């Protein structure tokens, strides 16, 4: 996966935006103000922090060397995923993990906001 494809994937979700609250190099992807992905898109290898169900996070870390506890994040709920370069995950799995992260964040939004997303 390339940085351009990762950015396009993250921005392809309903109401997703890219912001730079930390540094100009760190893309933070949000839905209605809540973070679902973070990445330094110019870093090599390309990595992204993604929200994950805690039990699933443990299983993924055990199954893939490219998935580790979230760097600078709550390690129970976030994984850092290597998505580019040697040892990276297959693109289909990366897409699934990004979508799962987005869905988890949306599920935690107030009902009125979730409904508003469904109508857009």
């Amino acid at each position: 996966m390339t940085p351009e494809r990762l950015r396009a994937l993250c921005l392809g979700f309903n109401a997703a935006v890219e912001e730079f609250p930390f540094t100009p190099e760190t893309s933070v992807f949000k839905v209605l103000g809540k973070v679902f992905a973070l990445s330094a898109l110019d870093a090599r290898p390309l990595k992204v922090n993604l929200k994950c169900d805690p039990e699933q996070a443990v299983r993924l870390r055990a199954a893939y060397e490219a998935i580790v506890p979230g760097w600078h994040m709550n390690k129970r709920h976030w994984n850092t995923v290597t998505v580019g370069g040697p040892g990276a995950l297959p693109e289909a799995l990366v897409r699934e993990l990004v979508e799962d992260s987005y869905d988890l964040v949306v599920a935690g939004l107030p009902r009125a906001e979730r409904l508003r997303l469904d109508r857009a």
Side-chain angles (χ1 to χ4, degrees):
M1 173 156 304
T2 65
E4 296 79 17
R5 289 171 86 163
L6 178 60
R7 174 182 276 130
L9 173 62
C10 290
L11 292 175
F13 295 106
N14 196 5
V17 297
E18 180 180 22
E19 297 179 356
F20 300 89
F22 305 119
T23 69
E25 296 83 27
T26 305
S27 293
V28 178
F29 298 96
K30 297 180 178 183
V31 55
L32 299 180
K34 301 294 183 182
V35 176
F36 70 92
L38 297 95
S39 180
L41 293 173
D42 59 351
R44 299 293 174 262
L46 180 60
K47 297 180 181 187
V48 62
N49 282 0
L50 299 169
K51 193 166 180 98
C52 191
D53 171 78
E55 291 178 16
Q56 179 69 358
V58 171
R59 286 192 294 270
L60 288 167
R61 293 171 196 161
Y64 300 98
E65 282 185 38
I67 301 177
V68 296
W71 188 69
H72 282 292
M73 304 297 281
N74 180 323
K75 296 182 181 357
R76 185 166 188 265
H77 295 277
W78 289 84
N79 283 332
T80 296
V81 180
T82 302
V83 298
L89 295 179
E91 193 164 321
L93 180 55
V94 172
R95 288 181 175 282
E96 182 180 321
L97 295 173
V98 173
E99 184 175 341
D100 288 349
S101 180
Y102 175 87
D103 289 344
L104 273 172
V105 171
V106 168
L109 294 172
R111 183 174 184 270
E113 290 182 351
R114 288 194 317 267
L115 291 174
R116 197 173 74 209
L117 279 176
D118 288 340
R119 282 192 282 261

